[in-house]
Amino acid sequence: MTRLWDKGTPLDARVLGFTAGDDHLLDNRLVRYDIQASIAHAEMLEVQGLLSAQDTGVIRAALTAIGEEHAQGHWQVSLDQEDCQTAIENLLTARIGAAGGRLHAGRSRNDQVLAALRLYMRDAAEALRAGAAAVADALDALAGRHGSMALPGYTHMQQAMPSTVALWAQGFAAEIRDDAEGLALTQRRIGKNPLGSAAGYGTPNLDLSREETRRRLGFAVTQEPVTAVQLSRGKAEAQLLFEITLLAQDTGRLAADLMLFYTAEFGFVTLPAAFTTGSSIMPQKRNPDVFELMRGRSAVAQAALNEVFGITQKLTSGYHRDLQLIKPPLFRGIDSCLQTLQILPSALDGVSFRPENIHLEPGIHAAGAANALVAKEGIPFREAYRQVASKLKDPE
């Protein structure tokens, strides 16, 4: 196995396992994006007169076939290959010979990896945004089914003011749509073309067109100057994980409410049987495991964000191998949130509120009564507050 950096010196097998880590496993999701960027790079080299039209055509066809074979499960990145960049280039050169070796002109694994990551994150951010919007739609549908039903509003875990199912559901829907907007805004940092920055200092003596690859890959801008590219590593990733964390907190709080409402003491809702599990010892139990895991996954998102911050803080300028360690928390945070978004709309579709179990304490209307005195008699609110409080058994 020839590695892209191999100069013929034997490598201790322990070093390969330590430096490559899980990259060979993680990179399988990046194969199609690396191929997409590699084809764009080859076409740019042809435009710049650095690659013949014949070689470009051969490279494009071979890369397309390699990508299709990977998608069909015919090959996976192995530890010996180290990463998807090495795997793809070795497969390419094995098939087409010297033409494959011409593809790496004007690029480094540094900008190559980052281009694939940003293309992947562009799709991931859109999938997350669409998933969040679907959850908000499911909450709107829940409000449509039960919206007029009375529901106590809580502060300090005590009944505070009257509410409705519509107000409860639409509050969460509004915040989750806000999260979806936040996810869309991550595209500003994701949408910067790193290709052509190579190892962080450009490509001396090669006349590349970074604008050409930007256009072909649909990036919004080309990241300039080239020295900014490595300094930006981890920022788009952290921003995406930050928005994921906010979304996971909202879905976690939604799940926490539903689990509270599902207790025997509350009994406000029924949860769909298909989305609850049983107990191994207690025959009567139906457990809200799905919602418990949704609640817990807000911690997964925040931990992933903190991990990325920890990796990038205090690095000097230029590339460092530490940056490879961003992939595991990034992918973990994305996957965890996507799993929640994929299951939550269907779970919400089966939620029903039980009005016979929803009881509003008489004192819950106290603030409304004080407001009515202000509107009717024109007295100061503080005086109205005292009048209403004096009529309650527990004015505190």
Side-chain angles (χ1 to χ4, degrees):
M1 176 56 59
T2 301
R3 299 179 187 92
L4 302 186
W5 49 267
D6 202 343
K7 301 176 181 66
T9 304
L11 183 70
D12 190 311
R14 293 169 295 181
V15 172
L16 176 61
F18 183 77
T19 57
D22 289 333
D23 252 25
H24 63 292
L25 300 173
L26 300 171
D27 273 16
N28 282 298
R29 76 178 68 198
L30 297 180
V31 166
R32 71 186 183 100
Y33 297 104
D34 189 79
I35 286 176
Q36 182 183 351
S38 294
I39 290 173
H41 181 75
E43 292 170 343
M44 178 275 294
L45 291 176
E46 180 190 351
V47 170
Q48 296 302 106
L50 297 168
L51 197 63
S52 70
Q54 180 179 356
D55 280 349
T56 302
V58 170
I59 288 170
R60 184 192 300 112
L63 284 173
T64 300
I66 289 167
E68 290 173 350
E69 290 162 12
H70 182 269
Q72 293 165 5
H74 297 316
W75 68 273
Q76 297 282 291
V77 183
S78 68
L79 177 59
D80 283 343
Q81 293 167 325
E82 194 173 29
D83 53 38
C84 72
Q85 287 75 34
T86 301
I88 292 167
E89 185 165 323
N90 281 334
L91 287 168
L92 181 67
T93 54
R95 292 188 186 197
I96 66 174
R102 295 189 175 96
L103 178 60
H104 204 65
R107 70 177 183 175
S108 162
R109 275 197 303 176
N110 295 337
D111 63 339
Q112 189 179 352
V113 167
L114 190 53
L117 269 174
R118 287 183 177 172
L119 291 170
Y120 161 73
M121 284 194 293
R122 182 170 68 187
D123 283 355
E126 173 54 26
L128 288 160
R129 186 210 61 77
V135 171
D137 289 345
L139 284 163
D140 284 345
L142 177 59
R145 295 194 303 272
H146 302 285
S148 61
M149 197 177 298
L151 198 66
Y154 292 86
T155 66
H156 305 279
M157 294 298 291
Q158 305 296 307
Q159 289 199 11
M161 296 183 73
S163 183
T164 62
V165 172
L167 279 173
W168 175 83
Q170 289 169 356
F172 276 109
E175 284 307 296
I176 290 171
R177 285 197 173 95
D178 183 70
D179 297 331
E181 290 180 22
L183 287 162
L185 292 173
T186 65
Q187 300 288 3
R188 183 185 70 81
R189 278 198 169 97
I190 293 170
K192 294 182 177 182
N193 179 27
L195 287 176
S197 64
Y201 302 95
T203 55
N205 303 319
L206 278 182
D207 182 22
L208 300 187
S209 173
R210 300 187 68 203
E211 176 61 21
E212 187 69 24
T213 51
R214 182 207 68 76
R215 183 182 63 80
R216 290 180 182 276
L217 293 172
F219 283 118
V221 297
T222 292
Q223 192 163 13
E224 294 283 6
V226 289
T227 48
V229 173
Q230 296 304 320
L231 287 170
S232 74
R233 295 289 294 269
K235 292 173 75 173
E237 296 91 332
Q239 185 178 7
L240 180 56
L241 286 169
F242 173 75
E243 296 297 342
I244 286 172
T245 299
L246 293 181
L247 173 57
Q249 287 183 347
D250 282 335
T251 56
R253 293 181 75 180
L254 170 64
D257 269 10
L258 286 171
M259 285 186 289
L260 183 68
F261 294 167
Y262 184 59
T263 61
E265 290 76 11
F266 274 69
F268 286 3
V269 299
T270 58
L271 299 179
F275 289 87
T276 60
T277 63
S279 166
S280 64
I281 189 173
M282 294 167 284
Q284 83 281 9
K285 290 288 297 299
R286 296 301 301 179
N287 300 322
D289 289 7
V290 169
F291 296 95
E292 289 173 332
L293 290 171
M294 288 178 190
R295 179 179 58 187
R297 287 183 180 208
S298 62
V300 173
Q302 186 170 341
L305 173 61
N306 289 338
E307 192 172 343
V308 170
F309 279 145
I311 290 165
T312 56
Q313 67 179 353
K314 299 182 180 178
L315 291 179
T316 57
S317 61
Y319 175 76
H320 303 272
R321 190 66 181 261
D322 313 44
L323 295 168
Q324 172 184 308
L325 299 176
I326 291 174
K327 283 181 190 175
L330 173 66
F331 294 171
R332 186 170 65 249
I334 290 170
D335 290 350
S336 177
C337 190
L338 278 174
Q339 288 170 352
T340 292
L341 298 177
Q342 287 163 358
I343 197 171
L344 186 49
S346 296
L348 289 171
D349 286 346
V351 171
S352 296
F353 279 80
R354 304 172 65 188
E356 69 276 12
N357 291 342
I358 299 173
H359 172 70
L360 276 63
E361 296 291 334
I364 203 169
H365 300 286
N371 288 338
L373 286 174
V374 170
K376 183 179 179 180
E377 300 182 13
I379 62 175
F381 176 79
R382 194 51 58 205
E383 174 60 27
Y385 177 99
R386 284 192 288 268
Q387 288 186 26
V388 172
S390 68
K391 296 176 182 179
L392 298 175
K393 291 181 179 180
D394 183 4
E396 297 298 322

